[in-house]
Amino acid sequence: MFQPARGTRDFLPEEMLRRNWVLDRIREVFEAYGYEPLGTPAFESWEMLKIKSGEDAINQIYYFRDKSDRELGLRFEWTASLCRVVASHRELPRPFKRYAIGPVWRYERPSEKRFREFWQADVDVVGVADPIADTEVLAVAVDCLKRIGFEGFIIRLNDRRILEAFVELVGLPKERSLDVFRAVDKINKIGVDGVMEELRNAGASAEASTRLLELTALKGRPEATIEETRELLKGLPVGLSGCDALASIAGYAAAFGIEPYLMVDLSLARGLDYYTGPVFEVYAEGFKEYGSISGGGRYDELIELFGGEPTPATGISLGIERIVPLLERKGAFEGLDLGPRVYVASASDAVRAKAIEVAQMLRRSGIAADLDLMSRSLTRQLDYANRRAIKKVVIVGERELREGCVAVRDMETAEQRKVKLEELTRSL
């Protein structure tokens, strides 16, 4: 028996219905904020995908050569493709607000909560340097989570420029900054000892590493934490500009209604090399083992590296593979009416054509309906509807049709009533 490739999986209808329900509501929120869909290929130029991705990400890209010996790779996130489009389509209006929903691929060790093929839902704002854009994408993520019934989460917030200033403050060379960021970002995965080891490999002394971890341990509510950070970074303009950006996000957050979710965490770095300013991740409280369920940040230099004009940009991604299982654990899908609302059963072959007409009438009026395609007995049709947890069955019988009626059976209570055909859509 063939199985899905390692790190991938099948989704049977019950799970796909839940995933589609989540994706539909996320898409509604994206469009409510004025974001527009953008479609890009699943594979891109290998050289393009490597730009400012970082060593860890490059090692995870699915790489291959096509029959013309071109070097290609499967997308491992959505940002590179967006930057390529913006760089080559300078006629796009500013701000350009786009969303993208679909699978991405990373060759990493699979586990119960980590896969090689997984879905992300992204929004990005291109052309806005002000932190209002960063705050808006955070508000989009918050509203998406609330729209699907997800509560109990926190947004961790930092700025790469603050980390750059910390590197300078502890006396490490600037050219090792990206190595330092990648090490610090792993603290929740490999612990303090693991980070110390990686910092040592990056050329940091034990004293510098200890001081750096002391600085990045600072976290708390934005106002107090940002002011404390300003005191630490006096005389370091790059770090103070990061503080200014975080303060602006906190200020805008009140108007966007997301202020209660914000926490500044100076250990947050994000693993990709292209971030230039604010970075953020969303965590579900009480489910630390799942890691972040959403993350992103500002990448003001990336579009220029792709051949475009200097263009500020920021964005955030929602991790569908982590959000859906958490919703299941929280019981968010209980009571939802997913799949067909109605099953149309024919009492005999003599009324089968009329049953088809009834199903078509329901479908064309916006009611999802299934019907028997296998000439089963009425008992077996009812069993089938029950196995699929369809709550209403419309029974088309000869006797009822002579009265211009059908029977509507409630599968939960077993109650059955006659309904006039012309009133059927209103009664379901």
Side-chain angles (χ1 to χ4, degrees):
M1 297 291 290
F2 291 107
Q3 298 294 325
R6 188 162 187 252
T8 68
R9 54 190 171 147
D10 298 317
F11 297 103
L12 297 182
E14 183 178 2
E15 189 164 7
M16 276 306 302
L17 285 168
R18 293 178 175 182
R19 289 170 67 87
N20 287 345
W21 182 88
V22 169
L23 293 171
D24 288 345
R25 276 139 193 83
I26 286 174
R27 186 179 292 107
E28 288 171 3
V29 174
F30 287 176
E31 294 182 354
Y33 275 80
Y35 291 80
E36 297 178 303
L38 176 67
T40 54
F43 55 89
E44 299 271 11
S45 158
W46 168 244
E47 287 300 320
M48 188 198 86
L49 290 175
K50 292 193 298 180
I51 295 174
K52 292 290 282 186
S53 295
E55 183 178 347
D56 290 345
I58 290 171
N59 289 336
Q60 293 172 1
I61 297 173
Y62 271 84
Y63 165 86
F64 62 98
R65 291 177 181 266
D66 67 10
K67 292 182 179 181
S68 297
D69 207 34
R70 285 180 285 254
E71 293 186 296
L72 303 168
L74 292 178
R75 64 171 176 249
F76 67 96
E77 41 89 88
W78 288 99
T79 307
S81 296
L82 169 64
C83 291
R84 175 183 57 74
V85 169
V86 172
S88 59
H89 290 273
R90 301 189 181 191
E91 75 280 6
L92 290 169
R94 300 292 190 271
F96 177 50
K97 297 170 60 172
R98 85 89 174 86
Y99 74 81
I101 301 174
V104 297
W105 297 267
R106 295 182 188 177
Y107 192 84
E108 51 188 343
R109 185 181 297 277
S111 68
E112 182 185 354
K113 301 177 182 67
R114 190 176 295 273
F115 302 92
R116 289 176 173 173
E117 179 184 69
F118 53 97
W119 278 55
Q120 290 184 335
D122 279 35
V123 288
D124 289 78
V125 179
V126 175
V128 180
D130 191 276
I132 190 173
D134 305 278
T135 319
E136 182 176 281
V137 299
L138 289 171
V140 171
V142 168
D143 282 4
C144 283
L145 293 172
K146 292 170 71 173
R147 179 75 173 83
I148 59 179
F150 200 114
E151 285 288 357
F153 55 89
I154 192 77
I155 299 170
R156 296 170 62 214
L157 186 65
N158 197 11
D159 194 291
R160 276 287 185 92
R161 291 165 293 188
I162 292 175
L163 293 173
E164 287 179 31
F166 284 168
V167 168
E168 182 179 349
L169 194 62
V170 301
L172 293 175
K174 184 177 180 180
E175 58 267 21
R176 304 312 300 267
S177 293
L178 292 176
D179 295 328
V180 171
F181 297 165
R182 284 192 289 268
V184 170
D185 193 58
K186 297 176 183 177
I187 193 162
N188 291 325
K189 297 178 183 177
I190 62 177
V192 172
D193 291 341
V195 173
M196 290 289 286
E197 174 67 22
E198 294 218 358
L199 289 173
R200 183 164 58 251
N201 294 336
S205 66
E207 183 181 359
S209 297
T210 300
R211 177 58 176 149
L212 182 66
L213 290 179
E214 289 174 353
L215 292 169
T216 56
L218 184 61
K219 64 180 67 175
R221 296 293 299 164
E223 185 175 351
T225 309
I226 293 168
E227 285 310 306
E228 188 174 347
T229 307
R230 286 189 196 277
E231 289 297 314
L232 292 170
L233 298 178
K234 281 183 177 179
L236 295 172
V238 65
L240 293 174
S241 64
C243 292
D244 291 341
L246 296 188
S248 293
I249 290 173
Y252 286 124
F256 277 102
I258 64 168
E259 188 179 23
Y261 300 98
L262 296 184
M263 179 185 75
V264 171
D265 183 344
L266 300 187
S267 70
L268 176 64
R270 302 282 291 162
L272 295 166
D273 288 356
Y274 55 63
Y275 291 118
T276 58
V279 289
F280 22 81
E281 288 184 344
V282 183
Y283 280 77
E285 294 178 315
F287 296 93
K288 185 179 179 181
E289 70 273 18
Y290 279 84
S292 65
I293 58 175
S294 177
R298 178 165 285 276
Y299 49 98
D300 286 348
E301 299 171 359
L302 196 55
I303 292 170
E304 186 177 5
L305 291 176
F306 277 62
E309 298 173 342
T311 309
T314 188
I316 197 166
S317 174
L318 293 146
I320 305 304
E321 314 306 325
R322 296 182 180 182
I323 289 172
V324 173
L326 279 171
L327 286 172
E328 290 172 344
R329 289 183 61 175
K330 287 172 172 281
F333 297 111
E334 294 175 9
L336 289 180
D337 193 11
L338 302 177
R341 287 174 51 194
V342 177
Y343 186 86
V344 179
S346 50
S348 67
D349 285 342
V351 295
R352 197 176 191 205
K354 189 62 180 180
I356 295 170
E357 292 178 18
V358 170
Q360 292 296 86
M361 177 185 70
L362 294 175
R363 292 162 175 166
R364 289 165 180 165
S365 65
I367 297 174
D370 196 4
L371 81 159
D372 177 48
L373 300 176
M374 299 179 68
S375 296
R376 289 169 166 156
S377 68
L378 180 58
T379 299
R380 291 187 66 191
Q381 291 177 68
L382 292 174
D383 287 343
Y384 177 75
N386 193 52
R387 286 202 310 273
R388 294 186 61 195
I390 298 175
K391 296 178 181 177
K392 302 283 186 182
V393 174
V394 174
I395 302 172
V396 181
E398 294 180 64
R399 183 188 309 167
E400 288 83 2
L401 285 177
R402 283 195 292 269
E403 302 174 21
C405 297
V406 291
V408 176
R409 183 180 181 87
D410 188 314
M411 297 299 288
E412 293 180 322
T413 65
E415 294 179 356
Q416 194 164 301
R417 58 193 172 90
K418 285 184 180 180
V419 177
K420 289 286 186 181
L421 275 170
E422 60 268 23
E423 297 175 359
L424 180 59
T425 56
R426 294 192 298 272
S427 68
L428 293 174

